[in-house]
Amino acid sequence: MVWSDEADIYRARNPRESLLWQLLDQHFDEFECRYDELFSREYGFYRPVVSHIVRKYLECGDLQQGFARVRCPDCHHEYLLAFSCRGRWFPESRSSLTSPHAMRRK
């Protein structure tokens, strides 16, 4: 095993800190219930795949949904690595949601 002092250090991601995660967690159920009343006329019927994608996104990276224990064979340092849904439906980083352009509202 080759050691490099320049190797990146693993930093656990906390999806619940994301503004998008918080928005969907707090308001998606209501959106789903009221879709027909508020949006179906303009946007058409509600597609069930939307619910599936949002639920997978909310579960992604959550230790309660499953994890692997990663252990270094040399030093025995360990950490838990949450399973990922590997979905690419939403932005990977919060930066796209917190940029000055995204925050402007008129």
Side-chain angles (χ1 to χ4, degrees):
M1 177 180 209
V2 178
W3 177 258
S4 170
D5 289 333
E6 297 177 22
D8 287 335
I9 296 173
Y10 172 75
R11 297 191 199 308
R13 177 177 81 85
N14 186 355
R16 293 174 185 235
E17 290 179 1
S18 159
L19 295 176
L20 178 59
W21 193 96
Q22 292 172 21
L23 175 78
L24 290 171
D25 184 55
Q26 293 170 15
H27 301 288
F28 186 71
D29 289 336
E30 181 182 357
F31 167 79
E32 216 172 13
C33 289
R34 299 191 63 199
Y35 182 88
D36 287 338
E37 170 192 345
L38 299 174
F39 305 109
S40 65
R41 189 167 196 204
E42 186 172 346
Y43 299 106
F45 69 94
Y46 184 78
R47 290 151 186 84
V49 70
V50 173
S51 296
H52 175 74
I53 290 170
V54 170
R55 305 270 181 248
K56 293 298 280 182
Y57 173 75
L58 291 174
E59 293 173 358
C60 185
D62 184 353
L63 289 172
Q64 294 177 358
Q65 301 299 321
F67 60 88
R69 183 181 304 270
V70 179
R71 183 176 188 213
C72 174
D74 297 330
C75 72
H76 305 292
H77 175 77
E78 12 180 271
Y79 62 89
L80 302 180
L81 179 62
F83 291 146
S84 169
C85 60
R86 297 185 185 254
R88 298 290 180 245
W89 304 290
F90 298 106
E92 286 292 315
S93 71
R94 293 176 12 185
S95 62
S96 61
L97 295 174
T98 58
S99 71
H101 302 291
M103 299 300 282
R104 285 188 201 139
R105 291 189 177 187
K106 295 192 178 194

